[in-house]
Each structure stands twice: as structure tokens, then as C-alpha cells.
């Protein structure tokens, strides 16, 4: 089972590029972030006519997450539990029914800037809620994948120029500590488990020639439960997607599971 995460930075802006990548990469499941569309205006037919099962949790103009799957989806949950007043569309989860059932959670973690401030407080509170949800799902002792745009640079080697990020919410010590608490529940960073070398990134700013200079950061992650980590075959970043027409500022990251 090939599972990918991809922050597409607007489904309508990427309506030609995304189907091209899907046809070339042939993933079984794709967790999308920043669809920037309400559910009713998502271009469903483009994907459903091509055989995809589609579940969305959208929001007008920003945020929004979705799941595309070649396999059946069951028990879909929209919204991260823990705060009934939080209306931002940043979390969707479902069980993918393949050779083995795998629970997938697609997430778009808050950016948190400027920090300190209310946006950063929201980011840390959201991460605490995510940790609580992860603990509940891990208790089921089933294959679990938490995938998406985490807006977290875990370590200095995950940035081409870490000195530029020391005051940014993505790299502040409190952010990285919250990420470590999540991983320390028993999760595996799938990409690092298979690709430990530095210099590999999933995001490049549109400005200042960041792509051409490879001045990137790795903020798109797939974290695996022990049961999913046991099934891990490979993990990669599709960096060449960034070079296409109308690219997102992110590129897909994917894993292959024996499931």
C-alpha cells in the first residue's frame, strides 16, 4: 500500500498538476492538505471519474484536508477531537481496507506564527490534542499512519539553513519538544527510518530562489505506529514534482507498506 501526503496549496490551482502526479506516481492513498475549498465546491468529478474514493473536510479560502483512495474507506472522522469550538478544517481520518486495514490520519498542523502570540498558543494546544488522539488510536494496537504538513522542523538537519528559523514557530524549542513527545509515544518517523541522509526537504518558499538553491525544510511527515512500522518497505520524497507547471510550495512524501 503506497500512502502519500501532499500539501497542494489550493485544489483549484493544482487541478491539472495533481491528476498528472497521481497518474505517474500511482499511490493507493493520498492525504491532501490546504485544499482551500468547501466540500460542495471541491472538483469531485475529476477524481471520482478516475476511480478515486474521495472524502473531504473543507473550509472556504484556506485550510482543508482530504483523502483520496483507490481502496475502500471506512469509519471516516472529520475534525480533531478535544475542542468543540475549533472550526478550522485541519484533520481527517479513516480506515483504509487493503490487504490489511490501516488507520490513516491526514493533518494540517497550524503554522503558529507570529510567535509568541495567540496563533502560537493555538499551535501548541492543537499539538496537545493531536497527542491525545494519537494515544487513543495507539491503544488499539493497529497499523496507524499520522501523515501531513506538520509545520514542524524536527531537527537542524531538516533545514538547509537552520539559523534562519531559530525564531520561527516551526523550529522553536517548544514546537520541537511537542513533536518529540508525540514521537516518544512509540511512533516512527517513516522517512528518516529509510532515508537518514541530510539535505532532503519537502518545502521550498516561492521567494528568493529557494528552490534553485535547495534552501528547503522538511515539514511533511508520516509517523507510524509500531504495527505500521513493522510493515514499512520504503519512504521517499517526490522532489521533481516541485519543478512542474504551477507547483505547490510542497512536494509529496510517500511510504510503501506491506498492507
Amino acid at each position: 500500500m503506497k500512502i502519500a501526503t501532499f500539501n497542494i496549496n489550493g485544489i483549484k490551482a493544482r487541478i491539472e498538476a495533481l491528476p498528472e502526479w497521481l497518474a505517474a506516481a500511482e499511490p493507493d492513498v493520498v492525504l491532501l492538505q490546504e485544499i482551500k475549498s468547501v466540500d460542495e465546491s471541491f472538483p469531485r468529478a475529476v477524481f471520482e471519474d478516475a476511480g478515486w474514493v474521495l472524502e473531504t473536510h473543507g473550509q472556504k479560502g484556506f485550510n482543508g484536508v482530504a483523502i483520496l483512495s483507490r481502496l475502500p474507506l471506512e469509519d471516516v472522522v472529520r475534525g480533531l477531537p478535544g475542542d468543540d469550538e475549533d472550526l478550522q478544517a485541519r484533520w481527517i481520518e479513516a480506515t483504509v481496507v487493503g490487504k490489511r486495514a490501516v488507520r490513516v490520519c491526514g493533518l494540517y498542523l497550524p503554522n503558529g506564527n507570529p510567535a509568541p502570540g495567540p496563533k502560537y498558543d493555538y499551535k501548541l494546544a492543537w499539538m496537545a490534542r493531536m497527542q491525545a488522539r494519537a494515544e487513543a488510536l495507539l491503544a488499539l494496537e493497529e497499523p496507524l499512519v499520522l501523515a501531513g504538513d506538520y509545520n514542524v522542523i524536527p531537527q537542524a538537519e531538516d533545514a538547509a539553513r537552520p539559523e534562519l528559523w531559530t525564531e520561527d514557530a516551526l523550529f522553536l524549542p517548544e514546537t520541537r519538544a511537542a513533536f518529540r513527545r508525540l514521537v516518544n509515544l512509540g511512533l516512527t518517523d517513516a522517512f528518516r527510518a529509510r532515508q537518514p541522509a541530510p539535505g532532503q526537504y519537502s518545502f521550498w518558499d516561492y521567494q528568493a530562489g529557494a528552490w534553485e538553491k535547495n534552501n528547503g525544510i522538511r515539514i511533511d511527515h508520516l509517523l507510524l505506529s509500531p504495527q505500521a512500522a513493522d510493515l514499512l518497505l520504503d519512504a521517499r520524497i517526490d522532489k521533481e514534482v516541485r519543478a512542474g507547471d504551477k507547483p505547490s510550495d510542497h512536494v509529496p512524501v510517500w511510504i510503501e507498506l506491506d498492507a
Side-chain angles (χ1 to χ4, degrees):
M1 184 186 296
K2 187 175 182 178
I3 302 173
T5 177
F6 192 2
N7 180 322
I8 57 167
N9 195 16
I11 184 62
K12 294 176 183 177
R14 243 56 68 188
I15 195 57
E16 295 181 2
L18 179 58
E20 290 176 0
W21 173 75
L22 291 171
E26 298 185 326
D28 298 297
V29 182
V30 184
L31 303 163
L32 299 175
Q33 303 89 48
E34 276 202 279
I35 61 174
K36 298 182 180 179
S37 169
V38 295
D39 297 338
E40 295 77 14
S41 64
F42 192 96
R44 305 182 65 90
V46 172
F47 304 97
E48 291 178 339
D49 290 351
W52 291 96
V53 177
L54 172 65
E55 297 288 348
T56 62
H57 180 39
Q59 187 172 350
K60 186 176 181 179
F62 61 106
N63 298 336
V65 288
I67 303 176
L68 289 170
S69 179
R70 291 293 191 187
L71 300 164
L73 297 176
E74 296 180 350
D75 302 323
V76 179
V77 172
R78 293 172 175 82
L80 180 63
D83 184 354
D84 293 338
E85 296 182 358
D86 183 4
L87 301 180
Q88 296 194 29
R90 294 180 175 276
W91 181 274
I92 190 169
E93 61 181 78
T95 297
V96 183
V97 184
K99 185 170 63 175
R100 294 191 58 174
V102 178
R103 190 69 176 173
V104 296
C105 301
L107 62 104
Y108 177 42
L109 204 150
N111 178 285
N113 284 301
K119 290 185 177 181
Y120 191 56
D121 295 340
Y122 173 65
K123 180 188 185 91
L124 294 179
W126 204 94
M127 294 183 79
R129 286 164 52 203
M130 178 173 62
Q131 179 176 337
R133 182 59 179 163
E135 288 175 340
L137 293 170
L138 285 166
L140 301 176
E141 297 186 351
E142 297 173 348
L144 169 68
V145 179
L146 302 167
D149 177 359
Y150 279 71
N151 270 315
V152 175
I153 304 170
Q155 300 182 76
E157 66 219 46
D158 295 308
R161 300 184 63 188
E163 69 277 7
L164 299 181
W165 297 90
T166 55
E167 302 300 321
D168 194 282
L170 279 64
F171 196 51
L172 286 175
E174 295 89 342
T175 301
R176 289 183 285 147
F179 186 81
R180 285 195 301 273
R181 286 194 294 271
L182 180 65
V183 172
N184 288 344
L185 295 176
L187 297 169
T188 295
D189 180 340
F191 183 78
R192 278 293 176 231
R194 291 293 178 180
Q195 308 293 337
Q200 304 185 80
Y201 312 118
S202 63
F203 170 91
W204 297 261
D205 193 276
Y206 286 124
Q207 306 300 318
W211 166 252
E212 290 76 11
K213 299 173 185 176
N214 198 28
N215 182 14
I217 53 177
R218 190 177 73 97
I219 57 175
D220 301 271
H221 311 298
L222 298 100
L223 301 185
L224 312 183
S225 69
Q227 295 78 17
D230 286 345
L231 305 174
L232 181 62
L233 300 174
D234 199 4
R236 302 278 177 172
I237 292 176
D238 277 355
K239 183 178 178 181
E240 66 277 5
V241 177
R242 181 66 175 81
D245 293 335
K246 296 183 179 180
S248 171
D249 43 6
H250 295 249
V251 295
V253 184
W254 57 264
I255 60 172
E256 185 82 28
L257 298 181
D258 183 17

